[in-house]
Amino acid sequence: MTVIKNSVLQRAIILSAALTLCLSCQPKRNAGDEHKWWKEAIVYQIYPRSFKDSDGDGVGDLKGIISKLDYIQSLGVTAVWLNPIYSSPNDDNGYDISDYRSIMKEFGTMQDFDELLKGLHERGIKLVMDVVVNHSSDEHEWFKQSRSSRTNPYRNYYHWWNAERGKPSSRYSLFDVNHDAWKYDSLTNAYYLHYFSRKQPDLNWENPKLRHEVYDIMKFWADKGIDGFRLDAFQFAAKDTTFKAFPEGYEKNFIKYYAMGPHLHDYLKEMNEEVFSKYDVMSVAEGAGNSFQDAHDLVDADRKELNMAYAFDGVDIAKPEGYNVIHFKTVFTRWDSAFADKGWLSIFLANHDQARMVSRFGNDSVQWRALSSKMLSTFIMTMRGTPYYYNGDELGMTNAGFDKIDQYRDMPTLNEYQHQKDTGGDLNKFMQRIKFECRDNGRTPFQWDSTANAGFSSNAPWIGVNSNYKEINVAQQEKDSTSCLNYFRKLTQLRKKYPVLVYGKYTQMDKICRHAYAFRREADGQKFLVLLNFASTVSQINAPVHPDAQVLLSNYPGAEDNKGKLSVNLRPYEAIIFKY
Ligand code: GLC
């Protein structure tokens, strides 16, 4: 008996040991194990207001984009993300929506939209739309109803605080002239909440009616055949509606206090069930919370919430006084390792909320602009994660560097200028700062050619054209085989040809090199070595180059000479992609 018992026990032990062994010898699950179109996508972001004006009112429009579809296709991108094109009074350039089911008058009609979608799809390009549902416009019918009386059925679509309860505890508004996120409304003697401007009241996600209205809106667009949603400021949508007081100084890290509020994951799960799971659409959120764990909780596939989120850690590195390249490398490497086995990342260095990539991370002087811009594009297009690439960066468009406040159009910038004025701030310092970092720098008209208004419009544009448009424009770069534009096209071809650039393992090399960045990408026996110099001087980096390595792309001639070397002297802003 004892013998039998033991042998059963022994067999069980051996079996479980074998099982453990077998599980541990299974190849480690990799972020790229599940191939998906949105992981392989190259997303090109179009800021419609500034891309191309077809009717001469100085504002870009859908017909303008339609007229440039062949250009977009020629870039080799596979998806377009459009900033909001819905009806809006344009307090915040479309991020204040007054009707989620119609097109902004300045941008065109629903017929234009349908034509645009069809034109993109005919060219094999997907369309991702912005969904702005942390807040609406104060001119949306929901808000008009909501503010009309305390008993209106829409009252609960927003956050109200009745004034007889006293003033609610402080909330910081990012865009308000006084930074006060509570606006008193005498009509019903109550305050409403707005994390952004007064014209962008925050929606109340605790209300299931509101949530289902949003899902219906998303289904309306998904039924039209769009391919994805970018959820604007969504990490702020869930709130603790008791509005308890935050500790003093909370506004210095409002993301910590505002992001990932109660029930956010419940809302995302519900949205996934109601919308994402029913269509072949991708989803990406602006903001990834406060930690890698937060980011994973948003995007890990088994949680059935989102596909991707984009964090600001990378894009926030650039400062007017410069930045530390070791820090840059560390941040991107940390994010990559945190997502090496599970989840998926987004890679970007610019968007409509940032000044120009080359002016912030590269060098926009005449001497180095093109080289440094190509180097930065090489970085974005060879990293793991879905690249989001901002329109105009393929030309190396630079900051406009406006000197006068009346050249700026950005509402939060104008409000902050007023705030500085009212509170005795240093206006010279403020003007210096916005010259470097105001998002209007990235919103000047797209530079098509050297004719009036850079070929963007037949009339004065809504915001000034960058004075360098005669030197930097599509027409001129089409003619030059070494231009930023043609270099970018080569990058997109490489990324599409070699899935290892999408899914392959990433390993950083020579972590201590102060000005250059080297990393390997590898999968299925294929290896890539990417070398990038972030400095205007020669940088030596310890990254051995295989003697048989092939140069796939470089922004200088003669990169082959580095084959077989143990370390490489990179020329100013040099970028090389080796394959071996
Ligand atoms: C997001 C958008 C930004 C907008 C803000 C308010 O951050 O990207 O452009 O101003 O939300 O909607």
Side-chain angles (χ1 to χ4, degrees):
M1 260 323 256
T2 336
V3 176
I4 295 173
K5 251 195 194 161
N6 272 352
S7 78
V8 170
L9 194 71
Q10 263 167 2
R11 282 220 318 261
I13 292 170
I14 293 168
L15 209 76
S16 102
L19 204 70
T20 319
L21 202 77
C22 176
L23 284 178
S24 65
C25 69
Q26 267 182 3
K28 212 170 153 203
R29 199 182 145 211
N30 195 290
D33 277 357
E34 252 203 291
H35 287 211
K36 297 276 184 203
W37 70 260
W38 44 266
K39 293 183 181 173
E40 291 163 26
I42 301 170
V43 184
Y44 182 66
Q45 184 191 347
I46 294 184
Y47 196 66
R49 206 171 182 78
S50 301
F51 195 64
K52 175 72 188 162
D53 172 21
S54 73
D55 58 4
D57 64 355
V59 174
D61 47 43
L62 300 186
K63 280 207 164 85
I65 304 176
I66 294 168
S67 72
K68 295 296 180 186
L69 281 172
D70 289 342
Y71 170 78
I72 298 165
Q73 184 182 28
S74 81
L75 297 175
V77 298
T78 62
V80 160
W81 154 28
L82 272 191
N83 289 101
I85 54 165
Y86 319 96
S87 292
S88 163
N90 280 312
D91 182 48
D92 185 19
N93 288 2
Y95 281 93
D96 47 321
I97 298 170
S98 52
D99 180 353
Y100 290 89
R101 287 187 176 84
S102 70
I103 304 291
M104 188 191 302
K105 280 201 184 68
E106 288 170 305
F107 286 179
T109 63
M110 194 56 91
Q111 214 180 334
D112 297 335
F113 173 82
D114 293 338
E115 196 184 326
L116 172 61
L117 181 61
K118 190 163 161 272
L120 284 167
H121 283 171
E122 279 166 3
R123 289 166 179 80
I125 301 170
K126 310 232 184 224
L127 179 62
V128 177
M129 302 269 287
D130 228 308
V131 186
V132 189
V133 285
N134 169 70
H135 46 268
S136 73
S137 161
D138 65 340
E139 296 183 34
H140 193 290
E141 188 56 32
W142 296 337
F143 190 74
K144 290 187 193 160
Q145 293 286 334
S146 185
R147 75 179 284 248
S148 66
S149 87
R150 287 188 179 187
T151 53
N152 186 282
Y154 288 90
R155 187 68 170 178
N156 253 343
Y157 273 43
Y158 297 86
H159 298 281
W160 290 96
W161 182 277
N162 292 340
E164 61 272 19
R165 298 171 69 191
K167 219 187 158 209
S169 53
S170 156
R171 287 296 179 268
Y172 181 79
S173 162
L174 291 153
F175 290 180
D176 191 77
V177 67
N178 301 323
H179 294 300
D180 182 355
W182 290 108
K183 169 90 175 79
Y184 177 71
D185 190 11
S186 58
L187 200 63
T188 54
N189 188 33
Y191 299 88
Y192 68 85
L193 185 74
H194 62 93
Y195 280 178
F196 294 91
S197 89
R198 293 172 191 183
K199 289 188 64 63
Q200 294 169 298
D202 282 45
L203 289 161
N204 178 9
W205 274 76
E206 280 185 7
N207 182 347
K209 272 199 188 146
L210 175 270
R211 298 204 300 275
H212 284 90
E213 295 242 29
V214 171
Y215 308 146
D216 284 348
I217 290 166
M218 293 171 83
K219 283 188 240 175
F220 169 84
W221 291 99
D223 285 336
K224 278 190 162 287
I226 71 155
D227 308 284
F229 297 99
R230 178 251 187 200
L231 295 177
D232 180 71
F234 199 75
Q235 58 178 349
F236 303 142
K239 283 139 184 130
D240 172 359
T241 51
T242 62
F243 295 111
K244 59 173 189 271
F246 288 152
E248 214 174 300
Y250 77 92
E251 71 284 357
K252 299 201 176 74
N253 186 358
F254 62 85
I255 296 208
K256 178 168 162 213
Y257 292 92
Y258 283 3
M260 313 301 291
H263 307 302
L264 188 82
H265 293 295
D266 301 334
Y267 304 153
L268 285 172
K269 281 194 168 67
E270 188 178 69
M271 186 185 282
N272 188 305
E273 216 173 284
E274 294 282 330
V275 188
F276 305 146
S277 67
K278 299 193 168 134
Y279 304 86
D280 182 19
V281 288
M282 68 154 237
S283 52
V284 55
E286 181 195 28
N290 286 296
S291 63
F292 292 138
Q293 190 56 51
D294 279 353
H296 271 291
D297 289 350
L298 289 169
V299 306
D300 284 356
D302 43 10
R303 295 177 55 91
K304 297 200 168 27
E305 296 184 25
L306 298 166
N307 298 138
M308 282 174 273
Y310 62 82
F312 301 113
D313 288 15
V315 89
D316 282 348
I317 293 171
K319 299 279 178 260
E321 60 279 10
Y323 65 96
N324 179 324
V325 176
I326 294 193
H327 178 53
F328 182 96
K329 299 197 286 188
T330 311
V331 168
F332 279 96
T333 302
R334 249 198 259 132
W335 274 93
D336 186 88
S337 9
F339 282 77
D341 298 330
K342 217 174 182 204
W344 193 249
L345 290 170
S346 324
I347 298 288
F348 71 108
L349 286 179
N351 62 29
H352 67 293
D353 289 331
Q354 311 289 332
R356 282 286 171 188
M357 168 176 94
V358 70
S359 303
R360 299 182 72 227
F361 287 97
N363 184 330
D364 63 8
S365 67
V366 173
Q367 187 178 10
W368 303 124
R369 181 190 57 76
L371 280 165
S372 65
S373 162
K374 289 175 193 169
M375 185 277 292
L376 295 168
S377 298
T378 311
F379 167 72
I380 298 175
M381 301 300 289
T382 55
M383 283 293 280
R384 180 156 56 183
T386 301
Y388 288 77
Y389 196 86
Y390 188 56
N391 62 186
D393 284 347
E394 74 273 29
L395 306 176
M397 277 180 65
T398 66
N399 275 1
F402 296 137
D403 286 317
K404 299 195 188 81
I405 195 66
D406 61 13
Q407 292 174 292
Y408 288 89
R409 299 287 174 270
D410 182 42
M411 169 269 293
T413 301
L414 299 177
N415 280 353
E416 189 56 30
Y417 181 83
Q418 190 58 43
H419 179 76
Q420 293 291 327
K421 221 168 149 182
D422 295 347
T423 56
D426 183 339
L427 288 178
N428 285 332
K429 211 163 137 196
F430 177 78
M431 292 305 295
Q432 277 311 312
R433 184 156 68 79
I434 61 174
K435 194 170 178 167
F436 176 77
E437 68 183 26
C438 176
R439 53 191 192 169
D440 274 349
N441 282 299
R443 297 178 174 186
T444 59
F446 195 93
Q447 293 164 205
W448 292 104
D449 56 40
S450 59
T451 63
N453 306 318
F456 161 74
S457 174
S458 53
N459 269 308
W462 68 278
I463 188 168
V465 177
N466 192 314
S467 57
N468 61 18
Y469 75 94
K470 290 200 172 140
E471 292 84 56
I472 305 172
N473 61 62
V474 174
Q476 179 266 332
Q477 295 200 17
E478 287 286 6
K479 289 187 284 195
D480 173 4
S481 63
T482 69
S483 65
C484 292
L485 173 59
N486 284 317
Y487 186 89
F488 178 68
R489 287 174 171 145
K490 289 180 190 145
L491 280 170
T492 58
Q493 294 317 316
L494 285 183
R495 194 163 177 101
K496 288 192 289 192
K497 182 166 172 194
Y498 297 108
V500 54
L501 290 175
V502 176
Y503 296 111
K505 182 172 161 234
Y506 158 98
T507 315
Q508 193 198 168
M509 305 169 78
D510 193 349
K511 297 185 180 149
I512 56 172
C513 178
R514 287 180 51 228
H515 297 298
Y517 194 170
F519 54 87
R520 245 192 353 240
R521 303 293 314 280
E522 57 194 297
D524 308 324
Q526 250 184 17
K527 285 198 176 75
F528 285 73
L529 173 67
V530 181
L531 303 180
L532 308 165
N533 185 6
F534 280 68
S536 59
T537 47
V538 172
S539 302
Q540 189 185 47
I541 187 147
N542 291 320
V545 183
H546 196 279
D548 301 330
Q550 179 195 352
V551 176
L552 288 187
L553 190 62
S554 171
N555 56 356
Y556 277 91
E560 295 78 18
D561 298 349
N562 295 304
K563 287 202 257 181
K565 290 196 178 152
L566 289 178
S567 70
V568 175
N569 281 327
L570 290 169
R571 289 164 280 186
Y573 300 109
E574 185 163 21
I576 314 175
I577 309 176
F578 289 109
K579 172 179 173 290
Y580 54 103

